[in-house]
DNA sequence: CCGATGACCAAAC
DNA sequence: TGTTTGGCCATCG
C-alpha cells in the first residue's frame, strides 16, 4: 500500500476490533518483526489512511501519549471510551481487560 | 538527492 | 535485578 512494511502494519491494525486495543510490540510481532516495534510507531505517526484505526494502538503501558493525542489532547481517549475501552485512573488504557487477543 | 529523525520494545550486561 | 543500547523503515527538509 503505502510502502512495504508500513502497509503490513496498517493491515494488522485494521484488523483490531472496536472495543479492543493493541500495542506497538504486539503489532510488530504479528507482522513478523518483534524487533521493529519502533517502525509501528513511526507507521502510525505517518498514518494517513482514515480506514486505519491507529487510535487503537497504544504503548505497552496503555498510555495514549501519541502525536495523535498531542495534536488533539483527549481525542484518542474519547474515541477508545466511545468504543467501550476501559481506562484507569492513571489515564492509561486497561490492557489487562481490553488488549486485543488475536485468535486466528 | 541525501541525512537525520521518528507514537517503541526487549535482549544484554 | 536495574539500566543501557540496539534494531528496523519511511517521510520530511
Amino acid at each position: 500500500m503505502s510502502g512495504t512494511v508500513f502497509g503490513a502494519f496498517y493491515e494488522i491494525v485494521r484488523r483490531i476490533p472496536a472495543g479492543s486495543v493493541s500495542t506497538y510490540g504486539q503489532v510488530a510481532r504479528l507482522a513478523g518483526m518483534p524487533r521493529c516495534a519502533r517502525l509501528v510507531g513511526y507507521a502510525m505517526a505517518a498514518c494517513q489512511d482514515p480506514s486505519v484505526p491507529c487510535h487503537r494502538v497504544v504503548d505497552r503501558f496503555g498510555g495514549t501519549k501519541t502525536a495523535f493525542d498531542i495534536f488533539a489532547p483527549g481525542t484518542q481517549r474519547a474515541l477508545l471510551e466511545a468504543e467501550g475501552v476501559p481506562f484507569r485512573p492513571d489515564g492509561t488504557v486497561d490492557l489487562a481487560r481490553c488488549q486485543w487477543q488475536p485468535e486466528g
Side-chain angles (χ1 to χ4, degrees):
Chain A
M1 295 294 276
S2 299
T4 54
V5 274
F6 274 39
F9 294 147
Y10 296 146
E11 288 286 314
I12 294 169
V13 173
R14 204 178 292 169
R15 280 164 55 188
I16 302 174
S20 298
V21 295
S22 186
T23 62
Y24 304 106
Q26 185 172 16
V27 175
R29 201 171 309 168
L30 293 172
M33 299 180 169
R35 302 279 154 136
C36 298
R38 273 215 302 194
L39 303 182
V40 179
Y42 305 156
M44 297 300 101
C47 180
Q48 303 164 326
D49 199 326
S51 65
V52 179
C54 48
H55 63 270
R56 289 180 195 154
V57 185
V58 298
D59 58 63
R60 59 189 167 101
F61 295 112
T64 60
K65 194 64 177 178
T66 64
F68 195 91
D69 189 69
I70 290 169
F71 181 76
T75 301
Q76 184 165 11
R77 173 167 178 171
L79 289 170
L80 293 175
E81 287 187 318
E83 293 179 352
V85 176
F87 271 73
R88 287 187 152 190
D90 189 32
T92 56
V93 178
D94 195 338
L95 296 174
R97 294 190 218 175
C98 58
Q99 182 168 17
W100 179 37
Q101 298 171 2
E103 298 175 14

